[in-house]
Amino acid sequence: MSELLPPDDLAESSPLSQFAEKAYLDYSMYVILDRALPNICDGLKPVQRRIVYAMSELSLRSISKHKKSARTVGDVIGKYHPHGDSAVYEAMVLMAQPFSYRYPLIDGQGNWGSPDDPKSFAAMRYTESRMAPFADALLGELGQGTVDWQANFDGTMDEPVVLPAQVPHILLNGITGIAVGMATDIPPHNMREVVSACIRLLESPKATVEELCEHIQGPDYPTEAEIISSREDIVEVYKTGRGSIRMRAVWEKEDGDIIITALPHQASPSKILEQIAAQMNAKKLPMVVDLRDESDHENPIRLVIVPRSNRVDLEALMSHLFVSTDLQRNYRVNMNMIGVDGRPAVKPLNKILSEWISFRLVTVRRRLQTRLEKVLARLHILDGLMVAFLNIDEVIHIVRTEDKPKAALIARFKISELQADAILDLRLRQLAKLEEIKIKGEQDELAAERDNLEKTLGSAQRMKTLMRKELMQVAETYGDDRRSPIVAREEAAAFNEDDLLTAEPVTVVLSEKGWIRAAKGHEVDVENLNYKSGDSYLASALGRSNHPVILLDSTGRTYALPTHTLPSARGQGEPATGRLSPPSGAVFCGVILGDDEQRVLLATNAGYGFIAKKSDLYTKNRAGKTALSVPKGGKVLPPRVLGAGENPMVVAVSNEGRMLVFPLAELPELARGKGNKIINIPSARLQAEEEFMVAVAVVSEGESLLVYSGKRHHAIKYRELEHYRGERGRRGSKLPRGFQRVDRLDINN
């Protein structure tokens, strides 16, 4: 074993911590620079760049025939990218999927996946591929001296460091990647908008992000779903290089059904249907009865949601689905990329475009310089050929008689070796007079091109003009209209438990012993229901099953119970104290049912009261909350639900047989408290139980007041109440003889 170890003089030793740190840093830099992050110059990761370059070397241009994808993958891993074939093929598939790439780089034949399952593509031995036309915008200038080259992994051939992209591809197709300690999420954009922003930056190098956003409205995903992020949020993303973009599905109403026609980027239709179906099975979507996927070749996305009836609020239903399913998604934005300096960084929009423009200017300059060198070299050769044609007889004589004609030609005509070689390479057929005319014409064309190239290279303005023209030409060739509209939408909200309940009419009944139940409908004979022995009817309220019921006890505390969970009125109900925890000795004295805006008159027999909204009385606390303050010696009166009648009047009656009437508007609307004085009850007589308020009611125009005294009752019309009208807080006027011992007040519609 010792023979396998290196000699001591060749071995290196270092602390394990230093070795591990260096090894991890080297690996991290490799992952960041050579695997996970795109380069700002061509917007490609190394594996993508090598795939595109390998296809160009295989002559798989957009006008060529398709070849098996396995051929391309084999060349990539054998020549440029020594990694697994599955990883290379998946990267290749992504560039061929029109639902993944805004401008696909590869044109594929066969099964390349679907929006429903992007990973369902066939194996590379079954699919065929070639480059898409747009790939020419990345490769068209590759052989023109535009970029640097480097040796491949085994040093046997060269590959381009970056591709000479003619547009900012880093923004066009977007890219995602995870490196060591950093990641990138760059969304795709519309080519016409990006080119327009580049031209703006060429003309105004100090243009701000806000000014560039006049051209780039926002990301443009390969889907027609809506981008609903606000304008301010989008601009902030481009300022910082970080943030998120929110997308929402597009839907329409058709014959009462909901038709979804576009989904957010990379959202799966089958998964969305599964999410909706799961809510239906959990009885969280009672308003939906059916789901269908009617997608086909003519309609790539067509999901149908069938509501239970035409009374279902489709806007509210879709708002709930946006929150609870993938019909609305957020996409992280992290503009992290390798800059022209070779360092990874998160960049704002103006920095990205500025760096790419600087790269493009260098690329164009190198292309023009390379072309100029070729033109000058050709002109040099043509000058030598013209010398030969002008002295053709002498040239022929030298060639026939001299042992070393090349040296003789150089000495006689003062030409270079290249020119001499070109003269000696002439064929006899090229000595015709016509060839001389062709050479003269080629000289004139190349001289004009040389002058134009030199002028362009010597003028910064001409370079910008050329670059602007080329950008516009690429945008005209490959550009298209925006696919993802940017629309302002309201914030979506999910249904709460009450929204999911059916709003059926119910009557809630409370007994004197505190037993509660609910009956369907409003036509219920509440007093003749079956009650437990020793118990009887106390109060009832009409409302809907999706409204919580409010109970009021003798201490002035209120409690809430979900109406749809109450036992049926077919039985005797259940004690409310089984679900609530009122104070010891407290008894329930009233029940309230209605929507949150329902107003209620709360009062005590001390002659005080106020108006409260039902929402202010609601509480989730089992022990309730104090709503009505009860004075010493006072008792809580049954609450009175207010109607929507005109000119409502408060009617208060004392045990002395006095009745006072005044406008309801004179009572305050409070969330809790004692309230204002309704009728004058001296506190001493209240505590001695000699005088107190017996009942209170609210009467509107068109209604009558029923005054009950024992088994008799007396009806007082609304206009007749004027006789008892007075200022709030007075003692009131005496009722007719025989009705001065009032038991209760009712309203007759």
Side-chain angles (χ1 to χ4, degrees):
M1 184 68 181
S2 60
E3 296 177 355
L4 299 177
L5 297 176
D8 292 340
D9 56 342
L10 296 179
E12 294 184 8
S13 63
S14 63
L16 179 61
S17 60
Q18 292 181 9
F19 175 80
E21 180 181 359
K22 183 179 183 303
Y24 186 71
L25 286 175
D26 290 344
Y27 168 73
S28 301
M29 290 305 296
Y30 166 73
V31 172
I32 292 171
L33 299 178
D34 290 331
R35 280 180 61 181
L37 296 188
N39 194 296
I40 194 172
C41 300
D42 57 9
L44 297 174
K45 298 179 184 179
V47 64
Q48 297 170 325
R49 185 180 304 115
R50 287 161 178 165
I51 291 171
V52 173
Y53 176 64
M55 295 184 76
S56 71
E57 289 296 288
L58 288 170
S59 299
L60 292 176
R61 298 282 180 172
S62 58
I63 58 175
S64 305
K65 289 185 177 181
H66 294 80
K67 281 188 179 179
K68 286 290 185 182
S69 301
R71 173 70 185 278
T72 300
V73 173
D75 268 30
V76 171
I77 62 178
K79 295 180 179 179
Y80 311 109
H81 199 73
H83 295 273
D85 58 348
S86 61
V88 173
Y89 184 50
E90 285 191 20
M92 184 176 175
V93 167
L94 191 68
M95 293 190 290
Q97 292 177 335
F99 49 85
S100 297
Y101 260 41
R102 182 64 177 83
Y103 301 95
L105 298 176
I106 295 175
D107 174 22
Q109 278 191 166
N111 178 11
W112 290 81
S114 66
D116 198 34
D117 186 7
K119 299 287 187 181
S120 61
F121 51 85
M124 60 183 173
R125 61 182 177 273
Y126 299 122
T127 62
E128 296 180 339
S129 58
R130 66 182 179 189
M131 287 189 293
F134 174 66
D136 290 340
L138 301 180
L139 292 161
E141 301 175 356
L142 187 59
Q144 302 177 24
T146 50
V147 293
D148 294 328
W149 294 74
Q150 63 185 5
N152 69 338
F153 66 91
D154 60 2
T156 57
M157 57 184 64
D158 290 336
E159 61 176 326
V161 176
V162 293
L163 298 181
Q166 299 176 41
V167 281
H169 182 250
I170 187 73
L171 292 177
L172 297 185
N173 276 320
I175 202 163
T176 60
I178 300 176
V180 178
M182 60 179 63
T184 183
D185 288 280
I186 304 172
H189 292 78
N190 183 270
M191 183 183 297
R192 291 176 179 170
E193 294 181 4
V194 172
V195 167
S196 179
C198 288
I199 294 174
R200 174 68 176 271
L201 202 58
L202 271 174
E203 297 171 349
S204 305
K206 294 184 179 180
T208 62
V209 172
E210 290 87 348
E211 292 171 339
L212 295 178
C213 285
E214 296 174 6
H215 304 270
I216 298 179
Q217 302 299 313
D220 187 22
Y221 294 90
T223 172
E224 295 176 0
E226 298 173 343
I227 295 175
I228 62 170
S229 297
S230 67
R231 179 68 178 169
E232 294 75 16
D233 290 345
I234 293 175
V235 173
E236 188 63 25
V237 166
Y238 288 130
K239 280 184 177 180
T240 61
R242 289 190 174 95
S244 65
I245 298 294
R246 181 174 297 177
M247 291 197 80
R248 180 178 290 182
V250 175
W251 67 282
E252 59 188 23
K253 183 178 179 181
E254 183 181 298
D255 298 330
D257 297 339
I258 294 172
I259 309 297
I260 299 171
T261 57
L263 297 178
H265 182 48
Q266 295 180 333
S268 168
S270 60
K271 182 180 179 182
I272 289 174
L273 291 179
E274 288 177 7
Q275 292 171 336
I276 300 175
Q279 295 189 50
M280 293 172 64
N281 294 334
K283 302 189 183 303
K284 293 182 178 180
L285 281 178
M287 65 287 294
V288 177
V289 294
D290 192 20
L291 296 173
R292 294 194 303 272
D293 186 354
E294 298 181 353
S295 305
D296 54 27
H297 291 293
E298 294 183 0
N299 302 288
I301 299 295
R302 182 179 170 86
L303 306 183
V304 182
I305 302 175
V306 183
R308 183 173 296 277
S309 70
N310 56 10
R311 296 189 301 273
V312 174
D313 187 346
L314 300 187
E315 294 283 351
L317 172 57
M318 287 304 298
S319 178
H320 169 77
L321 293 178
F322 287 143
V323 174
S324 58
T325 70
D326 284 347
L327 288 174
Q328 178 175 298
R329 294 180 65 177
N330 286 350
Y331 297 89
R332 186 177 63 176
V333 177
N334 182 17
M335 303 277 201
N336 193 6
M337 62 195 71
I338 299 172
V340 292
D341 59 356
R343 297 175 179 272
V346 177
K347 302 177 186 293
L349 178 62
N350 56 345
K351 184 68 173 175
I352 293 173
L353 294 181
S354 296
E355 286 197 26
W356 182 83
I357 287 174
S358 66
F359 159 75
R360 182 60 185 164
L361 284 171
V362 171
T363 303
V364 173
R365 181 172 293 278
R366 291 179 63 169
R367 187 191 77 208
L368 297 181
Q369 189 64 47
T370 301
R371 178 57 185 167
L372 179 59
E373 291 171 0
K374 290 182 178 180
V375 168
L376 293 175
R378 181 59 180 166
L379 283 172
H380 181 66
I381 298 297
L382 293 176
D383 289 342
L385 293 178
M386 285 303 297
V387 169
F389 276 100
L390 293 175
N391 302 278
I392 188 63
D393 294 334
E394 189 175 356
V395 168
I396 294 174
H397 177 73
I398 292 174
V399 171
R400 293 187 64 186
T401 60
E402 294 290 338
D403 293 335
K404 296 181 179 179
K406 180 177 179 181
L409 288 172
I410 294 174
R412 170 65 184 85
F413 298 110
K414 309 299 183 188
I415 60 177
S416 67
E417 288 189 17
L418 290 175
Q419 291 173 321
D421 287 334
I423 292 172
L424 293 173
D425 289 338
L426 282 173
R427 296 179 181 179
L428 287 175
R429 73 173 66 179
Q430 293 177 300
L431 300 179
K433 185 66 177 177
L434 184 61
E435 289 296 326
E436 182 181 348
I437 297 174
K438 289 182 179 179
I439 291 174
K440 186 61 177 174
E442 186 179 354
Q443 272 186 318
D444 293 341
E445 290 180 5
L446 291 179
E449 184 178 356
R450 176 199 61 201
D451 295 341
N452 183 50
L453 289 171
E454 290 176 344
K455 287 180 181 178
T456 303
L457 288 169
S459 169
Q461 186 58 44
R462 280 177 173 266
M463 288 289 292
K464 289 184 178 180
T465 302
L466 175 62
M467 194 171 155
R468 180 178 184 273
K469 180 181 178 181
E470 292 179 349
L471 280 170
M472 294 177 65
Q473 185 175 356
V474 174
E476 183 178 351
T477 303
Y478 305 109
D480 55 5
D481 295 332
R482 166 174 282 276
R483 292 187 62 183
S484 301
I486 301 176
V487 184
R489 298 291 186 189
E490 294 182 359
E491 192 73 21
F495 289 139
N496 56 39
E497 187 176 353
D498 293 341
D499 296 329
L500 298 174
L501 301 175
T502 55
E504 298 177 347
V506 294
T507 301
V508 177
V509 183
L510 181 67
S511 73
E512 290 188 350
K513 299 291 186 182
W515 286 59
I516 192 169
R517 49 188 155 168
K520 291 184 177 181
H522 289 167
E523 305 296 328
V524 181
D525 187 359
V526 293
E527 296 188 11
N528 292 324
L529 292 175
N530 185 22
Y531 293 91
K532 294 182 69 69
S533 177
D535 198 4
S536 61
Y537 168 78
L538 173 65
S540 62
L542 307 180
R544 297 280 177 178
S545 58
N546 61 337
H547 295 152
V549 62
I550 303 295
L551 298 178
L552 178 67
D553 73 2
S554 56
T555 67
R557 299 180 72 82
T558 57
Y559 310 82
L561 289 174
T563 303
H564 69 281
T565 64
L566 296 179
S568 171
R570 294 191 182 94
Q572 295 174 336
E574 65 180 32
T577 52
R579 302 192 189 186
L580 305 173
S581 303
S584 178
V587 296
F588 296 107
C589 57
V591 59
I592 304 165
L593 192 59
D595 59 31
D596 290 344
E597 299 301 316
Q598 178 67 63
R599 298 196 304 160
V600 184
L601 172 59
L602 301 181
T604 62
N605 67 350
Y608 286 84
F610 62 91
I611 307 300
K613 284 200 303 186
K614 186 195 168 199
S615 58
D616 293 330
L617 307 178
Y618 179 82
T619 177
K620 293 183 178 180
N621 193 348
R622 283 176 57 94
K625 72 174 184 179
T626 301
L628 180 62
S629 299
V630 183
K632 185 178 180 180
K635 296 180 180 179
V636 176
L637 297 180
R640 288 287 184 173
V641 176
L642 306 183
E646 296 182 355
N647 300 320
M649 307 292 285
V650 177
V651 179
V653 178
S654 70
N655 66 326
E656 293 288 326
R658 294 181 176 275
M659 186 166 74
L660 177 65
V661 177
F662 61 87
L664 178 67
E666 295 185 12
L667 280 183
E669 186 170 307
L670 305 173
R672 55 181 294 178
K674 176 181 176 182
N676 286 7
K677 183 181 289 187
I678 296 176
I679 191 170
N680 187 16
I681 303 294
S683 58
R685 291 177 60 81
L686 173 69
Q687 294 178 18
E689 298 186 356
E690 295 177 354
E691 188 173 351
F692 48 86
M693 186 167 67
V694 176
V696 65
V698 178
V699 186
S700 300
E701 285 187 21
E703 298 176 339
S704 299
L705 179 70
L706 299 180
V707 181
Y708 287 86
S709 181
K711 294 183 179 181
R712 297 184 301 168
H713 72 272
H714 173 57
I716 304 176
K717 295 182 179 180
Y718 181 83
R719 64 176 181 273
E720 295 172 350
L721 293 175
E722 192 67 28
H723 174 72
Y724 301 95
R725 185 162 178 173
E727 295 181 7
R728 179 183 60 79
R730 300 293 185 176
R731 298 195 67 191
S733 302
K734 280 283 189 177
L735 285 164
R737 188 179 298 275
F739 287 93
Q740 295 180 357
R741 298 183 63 84
V742 178
D743 295 322
R744 62 188 175 91
L745 300 176
D746 266 351
I747 306 299
N748 185 9
N749 295 321

